[in-house]
Amino acid sequence: MKQFLGTVRRITLLPTLSFIFAFFIGGIIIVVSDPIIMAQLNSPGKFLTSAAARIGNSYLAIFQGSIYDVNLARESGVVRGFYPLSETIVTSIPLVFAGLAVALAFRSGLFNIGAQGQFIFGAIGASYVGFTFDLPPLIHVPLVLIVGIIFGGLFGGIVGLLKAKTGAHEVIVTIMLNYIAAKFLLFLLSTKYFLRPGRLDPIAPPVKESAKLPGLFGVDYRVNIGIFIALAAALFVWWLLNRSIIGFKFRAVGANSSAA
């Protein structure tokens, strides 16, 4: 039991301290960037009162915009107040996958700064399959996911190829490829293949319903089973790095490439 508590403490201590430190630094930035509050420095009492009020209101707005909206709950019911939390979950799903891509590279001694470009390229392939083909959901959804993985992997593979063949540093290459992916997406959105019919602004056709992941809480919420896929991917990356032979090889290269 003592060992278990020690493990829990070790795992939770760093994220907790990071969370508290982030709030502290954020509060300082909120105060320093407000000229009205900074003008009250000559009056410490008024300065501290105004600073505390501004920080509190700012973090309250963050809470209501990301977790629970009291005003929305008053208008539409207590459950509806959790709508911001559902949107936070939706937004976090691609960030989890991008974070795993970066973490896996870091543990292998590489610096993948190109998660943005790889995500964009994966989204290009996935969205094209999603809005172009009419397929049963059991085929369409897995196909969209597989194509997205392949496109993102191929775009990331360009970096590996250049590093292996020319010695180009992955930091520079991945950063540059981010811009290439973004500009390439803008180009595609100006073509008839990706531009939504009847629109002049760069927006793609809507993905067909058969290509969408099943929702969790009805049509009023966008949150879907993608959150479980993201958690499963995180668990798989943990297993890969800590419980598999190939993961040990990745970590060995990252720790000491000469010894590996």
Side-chain angles (χ1 to χ4, degrees):
M1 184 65 178
K2 186 177 181 180
Q3 184 179 2
F4 172 75
L5 293 176
T7 303
V8 172
R9 180 183 178 184
R10 187 175 66 254
I11 294 174
T12 59
L13 182 60
L14 184 58
T16 302
L17 292 177
S18 300
F19 188 78
I20 295 173
F21 189 67
F23 265 74
F24 177 74
I25 297 298
I28 293 177
I29 294 175
I30 291 171
V31 173
V32 172
S33 61
D34 192 323
I36 297 177
I37 296 178
M38 294 302 294
Q40 300 174 357
L41 275 174
N42 295 329
S43 177
K46 185 179 294 185
F47 171 78
L48 292 175
T49 302
S50 300
R54 181 56 56 89
I55 293 172
N57 290 332
S58 298
Y59 285 138
L60 177 62
I62 292 175
F63 178 82
Q64 290 185 336
S66 62
I67 299 177
Y68 190 80
D69 191 338
V70 178
N71 298 322
L72 187 60
R74 290 172 182 170
E75 296 175 0
S76 306
V78 176
V79 176
R80 185 64 176 172
F82 286 102
Y83 178 78
L85 178 60
S86 69
E87 289 297 298
T88 299
I89 294 174
V90 171
T91 305
S92 69
I93 294 172
L95 295 179
V96 170
F97 286 110
L100 291 174
V102 173
L104 185 60
F106 280 4
R107 293 297 295 272
S108 304
L110 299 172
F111 294 89
N112 181 16
I113 318 296
Q116 177 187 356
Q118 293 151 24
F119 176 81
I120 290 174
F121 223 73
I124 289 173
S127 60
Y128 182 79
V129 174
F131 64 67
T132 302
F133 301 103
D134 289 305
L135 299 169
L138 290 178
I139 298 177
H140 210 172
V141 171
L143 183 61
V144 166
L145 296 176
I146 292 172
V147 171
I149 292 171
I150 292 174
F151 269 62
L154 288 175
F155 197 70
I158 296 174
V159 180
L161 180 64
L162 291 175
K163 184 176 180 64
K165 297 298 183 181
T166 68
H169 201 283
E170 69 273 9
V171 171
I172 303 300
V173 177
T174 50
I175 292 176
M176 293 174 67
L177 284 174
N178 285 338
Y179 293 98
I180 292 175
K183 298 300 182 182
F184 183 65
L185 176 59
L186 287 177
F187 163 73
L188 286 179
L189 290 174
S190 65
T191 66
K192 64 178 181 179
Y193 302 104
F194 271 80
L195 182 62
R196 182 175 300 187
R199 300 292 292 266
L200 297 177
D201 50 331
I203 182 170
V207 173
K208 298 182 184 298
E209 291 296 325
S210 60
K212 294 181 180 180
L213 293 170
L216 293 177
F217 305 113
V219 295
D220 293 332
Y221 299 88
R222 294 196 303 152
V223 62
N224 53 57
I225 65 171
I227 184 62
F228 298 117
I229 298 176
L231 294 175
L235 183 62
F236 172 75
V237 170
W238 171 85
W239 173 86
L240 180 69
L241 289 173
N242 297 282
R243 294 293 185 270
S244 68
I245 295 175
I246 189 173
F248 178 77
K249 292 180 179 178
F250 288 164
R251 293 166 58 196
V253 172
N256 191 327
S257 58
S258 298

